[in-house]
Amino acid sequence: MSDDATTPIRILLVDDHELIRSGLGAVLDLEDDMDVVGTAGSVSEAVAQYEALSPDVVVADLQLQDGTGLDIVRTIRKQSNDTGLIVLTMHSGDDQIFAAMQAGASGFVGKDAPSSEVVRAARHAHVSPRAFVCAGLVGAMMRRQSGESTNLSEREHDVLLLLADGLGAAAIGEKLFLSESTAKSHIAKIYQKLGAANRAQALVTAMRIGLLSSIQPSER
């Protein structure tokens, strides 16, 4: 993070759509206190650019071809507590907000928000990289407390990971020391929370909202 207040905030912009990179980059570059020093279109490219450029703030799309913006947040946060990390997304549901916060993001902004909100978030992230801000956070927390959130329990997340590995209810029960009927109950609850009718829909939704963003092919 830059120490001199007169030095522009150096920003790395990550999105797999060139038009969005160009458009948002132009908006940020118009600010006297900001300078887009690099762009990337994937997780791997973003990490490489971060290591080469050492930007003050990274603004990353949630949906990328080789992963998600949360993968970028987790990777960079392991290396630095001083880097501002903003997540942008078209899907700004409660689960995405909490996933970004838990990953270590500094802020979360919907792509339908005005560009001025991205600018404000970037300035906040530069000054307070570990203080999470999101316009919808209060509402999401209230819904979670009232039980309206689709947030999975720890056990349900364990089951989801095994579903992603291709296991059926019987095998999942064996892995987690559960009866097959209990495993089926957890699977049904996961489908209900994710609004899915089957395994494929559940996994697609889970990947879209970041619940499976860091999963690698199983070696089991």
Side-chain angles (χ1 to χ4, degrees):
M1 189 160 50
S2 299
D3 294 325
D4 187 347
T6 64
T7 302
I9 302 169
R10 304 173 71 256
I11 298 175
L12 172 62
L13 185 56
V14 186
D15 197 290
D16 56 0
H17 293 89
E18 184 178 355
L19 285 176
I20 294 179
R21 290 199 305 270
S22 300
L24 184 54
V27 169
L28 295 173
D29 273 333
L30 284 174
E31 300 297 319
D32 292 338
D33 60 341
M34 295 185 180
D35 181 17
V36 177
V37 297
T39 62
S42 66
V43 173
S44 58
E45 187 180 0
V47 173
Q49 288 282 69
Y50 171 77
E51 293 175 350
L53 299 171
S54 297
D56 300 311
V57 175
V58 178
V59 179
D61 186 18
L62 182 63
Q63 302 272 345
L64 297 166
Q65 293 183 354
D66 62 340
T68 76
L70 299 186
D71 295 319
I72 297 171
V73 170
R74 295 186 186 101
T75 299
I76 294 177
R77 189 56 77 211
K78 288 179 182 179
Q79 302 178 40
S80 170
N81 283 322
D82 296 328
T83 304
L85 299 168
I86 302 297
V87 176
L88 298 178
T89 180
M90 288 295 294
H91 307 284
S92 53
D94 294 354
D95 286 309
Q96 293 95 323
I97 292 173
F98 289 122
M101 181 170 62
Q102 292 166 0
S106 313
F108 182 96
V109 181
K111 282 188 174 179
D112 56 350
S115 57
S116 58
E117 189 170 330
V118 180
V119 172
R120 285 195 297 270
R123 289 192 179 117
H124 158 82
H126 178 55
V127 176
S128 303
R130 293 312 306 265
F132 183 77
V133 294
C134 171
L137 180 59
V138 173
M141 293 183 71
M142 292 178 66
R143 286 186 290 274
R144 169 175 278 191
Q145 291 174 354
S146 66
E148 296 177 22
S149 173
T150 59
N151 190 55
L152 300 184
S153 68
E154 183 176 351
R155 175 58 79 190
E156 288 164 353
H157 192 259
D158 291 339
V159 172
L160 177 65
L161 297 182
L162 294 175
L163 283 174
D165 281 347
L167 276 64
I172 289 173
E174 183 178 348
K175 285 278 187 181
L176 299 178
F177 304 101
L178 304 171
S179 67
E180 183 175 354
S181 62
T182 298
K184 287 181 177 179
S185 177
H186 284 307
I187 292 171
K189 192 67 173 178
I190 291 169
Y191 289 177
Q192 178 185 353
K193 287 187 174 183
L194 296 180
N198 52 48
R199 179 199 301 257
Q201 290 181 8
L203 296 181
V204 168
T205 299
M207 292 182 68
R208 177 174 61 80
I209 66 177
L211 293 178
L212 295 176
S213 62
S214 296
I215 290 188
Q216 302 297 324
S218 174
E219 296 179 355
R220 286 176 290 198

